[in-house]
Amino acid sequence: MSSTYGKNIQISIFGQSHSHAIGVTVDGLPAGFEINMEELQAFMDRRAPGQNKYSTPRKEADVPEFLSGLVGNKTCGAPLTAIIHNTNTKSQDYDNIRDIPRPGHVDYTAHVKYKGFEDVSGGGHFSGRLTAPLCIAGGIIKQILAESGITIDANIKEIGGNSEDPYAAIDEAREKGDSVGGIIECTVNGLPAGIGNPMFDGVENNIAKAVFAIPAVKGIEFGVGFDAGRLRGSENNDEFYYEGEGEDKVVRTRTNNHGGVLGGITSGMPIIFRVAVKPTPSISMEQRSISYSKEMAETLGVRGRHDPCIVPRALPCVEAACAIALYDLILDR
Amino acid sequence: MSSTYGKNIQISIFGQSHSHAIGVTVDGLPAGFEINMEELQAFMDRRAPGQNKYSTPRKEADVPEFLSGLVGNKTCGAPLTAIIHNTNTKSQDYDNIRDIPRPGHVDYTAHVKYKGFEDVSGGGHFSGRLTAPLCIAGGIIKQILAESGITIDANIKEIGGNSEDPYAAIDEAREKGDSVGGIIECTVNGLPAGIGNPMFDGVENNIAKAVFAIPAVKGIEFGVGFDAGRLRGSENNDEFYYEGEGEDKVVRTRTNNHGGVLGGITSGMPIIFRVAVKPTPSISMEQRSISYSKEMAETLGVRGRHDPCIVPRALPCVEAACAIALYDLILDR
Amino acid sequence: MSSTYGKNIQISIFGQSHSHAIGVTVDGLPAGFEINMEELQAFMDRRAPGQNKYSTPRKEADVPEFLSGLVGNKTCGAPLTAIIHNTNTKSQDYDNIRDIPRPGHVDYTAHVKYKGFEDVSGGGHFSGRLTAPLCIAGGIIKQILAESGITIDANIKEIGGNSEDPYAAIDEAREKGDSVGGIIECTVNGLPAGIGNPMFDGVENNIAKAVFAIPAVKGIEFGVGFDAGRLRGSENNDEFYYEGEGEDKVVRTRTNNHGGVLGGITSGMPIIFRVAVKPTPSISMEQRSISYSKEMAETLGVRGRHDPCIVPRALPCVEAACAIALYDLILDR
Amino acid sequence: MSSTYGKNIQISIFGQSHSHAIGVTVDGLPAGFEINMEELQAFMDRRAPGQNKYSTPRKEADVPEFLSGLVGNKTCGAPLTAIIHNTNTKSQDYDNIRDIPRPGHVDYTAHVKYKGFEDVSGGGHFSGRLTAPLCIAGGIIKQILAESGITIDANIKEIGGNSEDPYAAIDEAREKGDSVGGIIECTVNGLPAGIGNPMFDGVENNIAKAVFAIPAVKGIEFGVGFDAGRLRGSENNDEFYYEGEGEDKVVRTRTNNHGGVLGGITSGMPIIFRVAVKPTPSISMEQRSISYSKEMAETLGVRGRHDPCIVPRALPCVEAACAIALYDLILDR
C-alpha cells in the first residue's frame, strides 16, 4: 500500500529501476481534460538523467507511453496509466549489493523488510528512477491546476550550504568522487483561501506526506519554518489587511511567515515551503559496511551510474508531489 | 475527514474548545490490553493547562471518561471512545473574533472554509485543546508500544533560539505580553529494523502527517535534517557495522545522520526528529487586522487565556502523534 | 477499523450494548446545515425498542446528546459527535454466554477473534443497539439529502414469507417463543443520473457494504435482483425514452429492472433494492450448543430481552445505511 | 478512485476495452511468493473469450505481461503490475453508441457522468473485458490462499431459471439472438474462524463490495440468504457442536444457514454465497432507445461481439473478487 497516494484522486506508482517498465496509474482525473503532451515531456525532461554535466550519464529518454485513460489526448474518466519502458539496464552492476549494503541507501532496510527477496538491481522500487512516474502524474495535475491559475515553482535555495553559486558545490563534489545535498524552496501561487482541513488532513500534513515520497528528502518546513521556533509571536504573526477595491478587494497578510497555511487551511497567500535533500548516498569513495554472508565488516566502493547531486533533478519531483497533494485537497468539499 | 488518522488503527478526534465535550475514538486496538490509568493520567497531565507558571491558568482537569471499548480497564476489541467534558468555558471572551480575525490564528481561514458557520469560541475545533484527545489516544498507544520495549521521548531543544536556558525566553516573552516558539526533539528507541514502507507510506511521511496535526507545528526534519542539505555524501552516509556476538549480533550504523529511517523503513537505529513550533499567536500586544463587517482595517488586542509558550505542553503531543503514526505502521503487513 | 464508513464523509460508530454510552462521529458534514431535531427524534423513534408489542420491552429513550459539531442546531464544520447513554443495563443476564455461545449469534466468532476479551454483555459492540448511532448519522444525512429532493423509504415486503399480512407472522412467532425474518424493500427517489463510479466504487457496491453493517442482513439485490438471473436480455433490458418537453425533457427507462443503477452509476430512475433479514437468533426455545469450559455439548435457553422480529425496527436502519452510502458518493467528483 | 480496492493489499485496475492495454497493479503482496504461471494462465483461460461455443468469438489470448513486482517469478515486495495488450480492436463497430445508448448498458449513465468524454469503444472502462485484470490479481491471491489451505470455488447454480441443464438455456437464447442470466454459487473452504470485523468491515460487506465490481451482478446473498427472511429463528439458527478429539477438536455448526459468517466474522464453517448475474444486455434483437443528437426516440440493433450468457465466464471473476476481499481481511489484525 506504500506506493499509493490520495483520497479524491489516487496515484499508484509501480516499477523497479530495472523491471520491464515503471509507471503510474492516476484514478480520479476529470473527464475531458486535454493533456498538453509537449509541455508534459518538457516537464519530464527537467527530471531526466543525462541532461547536463551535473547528472548521471544514463541516457534514457523518459517518454511516457499511455496505456489507458485517454481518448486521443483527452482524459475519458477512466484510470489513466502511463509507463516508461526500461531499456538501458545493467543488472550485473549491482551484484555485490545483495551481500554488502551501501551506506545511506535503502539496501539494508529493504533487505530486512522483504527478507532478501527485494529487487536490488538499481535500487529496485526505491530507486530515484521511480520519481519519473511521480512526475508523469504530477505534470498532468500541474496542467490541470494551471487552468485555474495555480502555479507551482521549485527552485534551488542552496547546495552544500552555498546559496550564491550552488553549482560550484556540485562541481567540487564531483571532482572528489563525493556527492552533496541541498535545499529546495517551492512556491505555490494562485490558490484561493479555504483549501485544506484541520488536524490530520491539512495542507502541511499532505504536502509533507507526498514530498517525503521523494528519496533523499529529510525535512520540510513551511513559511519561516524552523525559524518560527526562534521568533516572538509579535514578530511571527502576519497581520491581515484588505487589498484592492470593490470586486477585487481581497484579504492579504502583510508578511507571509505562515507560508500560506493557517490551521491546515490556505490563507490565499502563496504557499512557501522548503525541503532538505540529502547528498546522494552513492559515492565513488570507499566506505565501510558489512557482508551478510560473512557476517563481518567489509568495504565497499560503489560503482555504476550516479549523480554527484540530485537537487537539480529533484525540482520537478517536488513540484509534482506538491501538485498531487494540493489537487487532492482541492477536490475535497 | 480531517480529524481522522490511520489505516490499521483509526483515530477519530472530535470536539471544539467550548463544546460539551472533546474526545477521541480509537478503532483497531488489540483486545485484552490493560490500560494503566494512572500512567495515562500522568501523561495527560504533562499536556494539561495550569500546571505551572509557564502555561495558561485555565484549570481544567483533563480526566478522560471512557464511554466504550473497555471491560474494566481492558480493551475488548470494540472501538474505544474517551471524552473530556468542557466545564470552564467563557464564550463571551471570543465575541469580537467573529468579526476581527486574530493574526497568526485560524480565524480567517476557517471563516472562509466554513462560510461563517465555524465555532469561533476558544478556537473551536482548531483549538490546542483538541490535542488532549490526541494525547489520550497516543498515551494508550505509547503503553502498548512500551510492552514491546519501544519508547518515545520528546524534549525541548531550544526556545526562542535559546538552547541553554529555554525557560528564560518564556519568562521574557511573558513579561512583554508576547509569546515565543521553540524546537522539540523526539527520539524513538527500541523499534526493530524493517518497519515502514517505500514512497508515500514510509516512516517519515507518516510521522510528518501526524505531527502536523498539532497546531503551531511548522516544520519537521529527520536525522541531521536540513543540515543534510549542507553535507557531502561522505560526511552524511552512516556506515554499517556488526555489534554484539551470536544471538545478540545486530547491524548498527556508526553515526545516525539518517535518523533511524532509510527509504521510509526503520534501520533499527533510534528514530530522531525535530519539530518547529511557532510562537503562540495569541498575544496581549495590540495588532493590526481587519473587520469583516466594516470591510476595513481594525486593531485587535487579544484577551482571554493563553500561554506565552506552548512548547512545554506540546511535548506529550509530539510523542502521541509519533506513537500513533508508528503503531499504525507496525500493524502493517 | 471495522466501525468506520466513508471516504468523503466518515462515520465512526462506537459503544457496546452495556457500555456507558454508544455514539457516532460524523466527519465531513457541510457547515451551516440546521438539523431538525424533532424530525431526527421521530426517525430515531422508528428504530427504538419498546414502541409497540412487536418489539422488545426495553424502554430506553434513544435521545441523542450532541457533544460537538454544532453551534446551536447548526453544523459548524467540525466533526459531529452524538451519544446515547446506556441506562437500563442488566449485565447479569448474560453471564452464561461467556461460556455457552448462542446459536445464530456472534458469541462464538467474537470469542475467537477477541480471544475471550470481548464484551459479551448484551452482545457488546455487535448488539443491534449499535444501529441507534447509525440512525443518528443516517437521520441527519437523510435531512441533508431531502433538501435536494432525495428521499429514501424502506418498507416491509414480507415477513416469514407472508407479504399480505406480515405482522401475523410476528404474532405467531412470539406465541411460540420463536422469531421470524423478513424482506425489506427500499426505494430512493430524486437522485440525479451520473452518481457513482465503475468497478469497486459503484452505487451497488457501497450500499451493499453499508447495509451489511446492520446485524441480521444476509442478502441484498438491486432492481429485479436474483430474478435477473432467470430472465432473457430482451425481458431484462430497460429501454430508454424521453419524457417531458423543453427544459423538463429527461431521459427515463420504460421499466426499472436495473433498479436505478447501470455500471455502478445512477440512471435517474428510482434506486430500488431489497434486503434479506434473518430471524432474531435470540429465542426462548431451548437450543443445543457447547460449553467452552467443559469442552462438551450443552443446552441453552436464551433469557433476556429480545424481539420476535426485528424487521420493523430495521427499516430506519436500512434507510440510514443507504443515506450514508449515497451521500458519500454524491460528495464525490 | 473507483477502480481501486483494499486496505491491506490494494488492487488498482486500469484500461478500456480498446485502449492500448488493460492491467492491474497489486500493492501489498508478500515478498518471496512464487507465482505458478501455468496455473495462473489456466485460471485466466476460464474467463477468456472464444473458449467454447457459449462465449463470444473474439479470440484474444489473455496472457498477462508482468511489468514489475517480480524477480523471476517471485514477488519482491514492490507493487506488481501486469498488463494485457489489446490487439483485436475494431472501434468502428461502436460508432453509433456515441449517440444511441444501448438498453441495459452503461452507455447512458457513463455519458452523463463523464459529460460525453467517456471512451465508448467496446464499453470502455466498463467493459466486461476489465475483469481480465481482476482475474490476474485474484488468480495470484488464490494461489497465496491455497498455500494456507483456503480454496474458493464458484459454480453455476442455474441459468435462465434452469438448474438441471443450465447450458440448454444458453443455446436457446443464442438461437433467438437473445441472452440469458444466471445464478452463481461460491464456496470458500479452509478459512479459520475469527476473520473479519463488525459493522462496515465484515466478511459480507467486503465480499459484496468486491463482487459488485463484476459487471452484470445484481444481487448477493450469504448462507440461506433471502430464504432467511422466510424462516423462523428455530429453523435458521445453526447449533454448535464439537467435532474431533484432542488436538483436532474443533467447533462446528450442524447446519450452515449462516454461510460461514456471524456478525461479520468467519465461524470456521465454509463461506457460501450466491450471486445474481443479469443477462448480457447486448442482444441482436432490435430495441427502442433514444438519440441524443436528435433528442428523440430511435431504435437500435446491437452489432459486434457478445456472449449470449456471461455466467460461465463470470465464475473465475467471482472467485477472484472473493479472493481479493478475503485476503485483504486475513491481512488485518
Side-chain angles (χ1 to χ4, degrees), chain A residues 1-5 7 11 13 101-106 108-110 112-115 125-126 130 134 158-161 169 172-173 178-183 193-201 204-206 208-210 212-213 217-223 225-226 228-242 249 251 254 257-259 261-263 265-267 274-283 285-292 294-297 324, chain B residues 1-5 7 11 13 101-106 108-110 112-114 125-126 130 134 158-161 169 172-173 178-183 193-201 204-206 208-210 212-213 217-223 225-226 228-242 249 251 254 257-259 261-263 265-267 274-283 285-292 294-297 324 333:
Chain A
M1 297 278 288
S2 52
S3 305
T4 305
Y5 182 88
K7 182 174 80 81
I11 311 296
I13 292 175
R102 293 167 297 174
H105 270 282
V106 74
Y108 171 67
T109 58
V112 174
K113 182 172 181 69
Y114 301 113
K115 301 180 176 64
H125 186 57
F126 295 87
L130 271 292
L134 179 74
E158 54 179 85
I159 288 179
E172 190 195 318
D178 208 340
S179 64
V180 64
I183 294 171
I195 305 296
N197 301 287
M199 298 227 174
F200 299 109
D201 202 20
E204 290 143 324
N205 315 61
N206 284 287
K209 185 174 174 76
F212 275 114
V217 169
K218 295 303 281 187
I220 188 167
E221 59 177 9
F222 291 81
F226 274 86
R230 291 150 195 148
L231 294 176
R232 302 292 175 275
S234 56
E235 298 165 315
N236 186 60
N237 281 354
D238 300 306
E239 296 183 324
F240 294 104
Y241 72 104
Y242 280 110
K249 200 168 185 174
V251 174
R254 288 173 202 279
N257 296 329
H258 68 291
V261 189
L262 287 168
I265 301 172
T266 56
S267 67
R274 278 171 302 287
V275 169
V277 179
K278 74 175 186 183
T280 326
S282 297
I283 55 177
M285 301 158 87
E286 194 159 90
Q287 297 174 87
R288 290 178 295 175
S289 183
I290 54 173
S291 158
Y292 303 140
K294 300 180 190 162
E295 288 205 6
M296 56 179 287
I324 291 165
Chain B
M1 298 277 290
S2 54
S3 305
T4 306
Y5 183 88
K7 181 174 81 81
I11 311 296
I13 292 176
R102 293 167 297 175
H105 269 281
V106 75
Y108 171 67
T109 58
V112 173
K113 183 172 180 69
Y114 301 115
H125 186 58
F126 294 86
L130 270 294
L134 179 74
E158 54 179 86
I159 288 179
E172 189 194 320
D178 208 341
S179 65
V180 65
I183 294 171
I195 305 295
N197 301 287
M199 296 227 176
F200 299 109
D201 203 20
E204 291 144 323
N205 316 62
N206 283 288
K209 185 173 174 77
F212 275 114
V217 168
K218 295 302 282 186
I220 187 166
E221 58 176 10
F222 290 82
F226 275 85
R230 292 155 195 142
L231 294 177
R232 302 289 175 278
S234 56
E235 298 165 315
N236 185 61
N237 281 353
D238 300 305
E239 295 184 325
F240 294 105
Y241 71 105
Y242 279 109
K249 199 168 186 175
V251 174
R254 289 175 201 280
N257 296 328
H258 68 293
V261 189
L262 286 169
I265 302 172
T266 56
S267 67
R274 277 170 303 286
V275 169
V277 180
K278 74 175 184 182
T280 326
S282 297
I283 55 177
M285 302 158 88
E286 194 159 86
Q287 296 174 88
R288 288 178 297 174
S289 183
I290 54 172
S291 159
Y292 302 140
K294 299 179 190 165
E295 288 206 8
M296 55 180 287
I324 291 166
R333 20 198 124 209

Side-chain angles (χ1 to χ4, degrees), chain A residues 290-313:
Chain A
I290 54 173
S291 158
Y292 303 140
S293 61
K294 300 180 190 162
E295 288 205 6
M296 56 179 287
E298 182 66 87
T299 59
L300 177 81
V302 177
R303 291 185 305 277
R305 303 162 299 220
H306 47 79
D307 283 334
C309 182
I310 61 155
V311 175
R313 291 177 57 199

Side-chain angles (χ1 to χ4, degrees), chain C residues 1-5 7 11 13 101-106 108-110 112-114 125-126 130 134 158-161 169 172-173 178-183 193-201 204-206 208-213 217-223 225-226 228-242 249 251 254 257-259 261-263 265-267 274-283 285-297 324, chain D residues 1-5 7 11 13 101-106 108-110 112-114 125-126 130 134 158-161 169 172-173 178-183 193-201 204-206 208-213 217-223 225-226 228-242 249 251 254 257-259 261-263 265-267 274-283 285-292 294-297 324:
Chain C
M1 297 279 288
S2 53
S3 304
T4 305
Y5 183 88
K7 182 174 81 82
I11 310 296
I13 292 175
R102 293 166 298 174
H105 270 281
V106 74
Y108 170 67
T109 59
V112 174
K113 183 172 182 68
Y114 300 114
H125 186 58
F126 295 87
L130 270 292
L134 178 74
E158 53 179 84
I159 288 180
E172 190 194 317
D178 208 340
S179 65
V180 64
I183 294 170
I195 305 296
N197 301 287
M199 296 225 175
F200 300 109
D201 203 20
E204 290 144 323
N205 315 62
N206 283 287
K209 184 173 174 79
V211 162
F212 275 114
V217 168
K218 296 301 282 186
I220 187 167
E221 59 176 10
F222 291 81
F226 275 87
R230 292 152 195 143
L231 293 177
R232 301 292 173 277
S234 56
E235 297 165 316
N236 186 59
N237 282 353
D238 300 305
E239 296 183 324
F240 293 105
Y241 72 104
Y242 279 110
K249 199 167 186 175
V251 174
R254 289 174 201 280
N257 295 329
H258 68 292
V261 190
L262 286 168
I265 301 174
T266 56
S267 67
R274 279 170 302 286
V275 168
V277 179
K278 74 175 186 182
T280 327
S282 297
I283 55 177
M285 301 158 87
E286 193 159 89
Q287 296 174 88
R288 289 178 296 175
S289 183
I290 54 173
S291 159
Y292 302 139
S293 61
K294 298 179 191 166
E295 288 204 8
M296 56 178 289
I324 291 165
Chain D
M1 299 279 288
S2 53
S3 306
T4 306
Y5 183 88
K7 182 173 81 80
I11 311 296
I13 292 176
R102 293 167 297 174
H105 269 281
V106 74
Y108 170 66
T109 59
V112 173
K113 182 172 182 70
Y114 301 114
H125 186 57
F126 295 87
L130 271 292
L134 178 75
E158 54 180 86
I159 288 179
E172 189 194 318
D178 207 342
S179 65
V180 65
I183 295 171
I195 305 296
N197 300 286
M199 297 227 175
F200 299 109
D201 203 21
E204 289 144 324
N205 316 61
N206 283 289
K209 184 173 174 79
V211 163
F212 275 114
V217 168
K218 295 302 281 185
I220 187 167
E221 59 176 9
F222 290 81
F226 275 86
R230 292 154 194 141
L231 294 177
R232 302 290 175 275
S234 56
E235 298 164 315
N236 186 60
N237 283 352
D238 299 307
E239 295 184 325
F240 295 104
Y241 71 103
Y242 279 110
K249 199 168 186 175
V251 174
R254 289 174 201 279
N257 296 329
H258 68 291
V261 190
L262 286 168
I265 302 172
T266 56
S267 67
R274 278 171 302 285
V275 168
V277 179
K278 73 175 185 182
T280 326
S282 297
I283 55 177
M285 301 156 89
E286 193 159 89
Q287 296 173 88
R288 289 178 297 175
S289 183
I290 54 172
S291 159
Y292 302 139
K294 300 179 189 166
E295 287 206 8
M296 55 180 286
I324 291 166

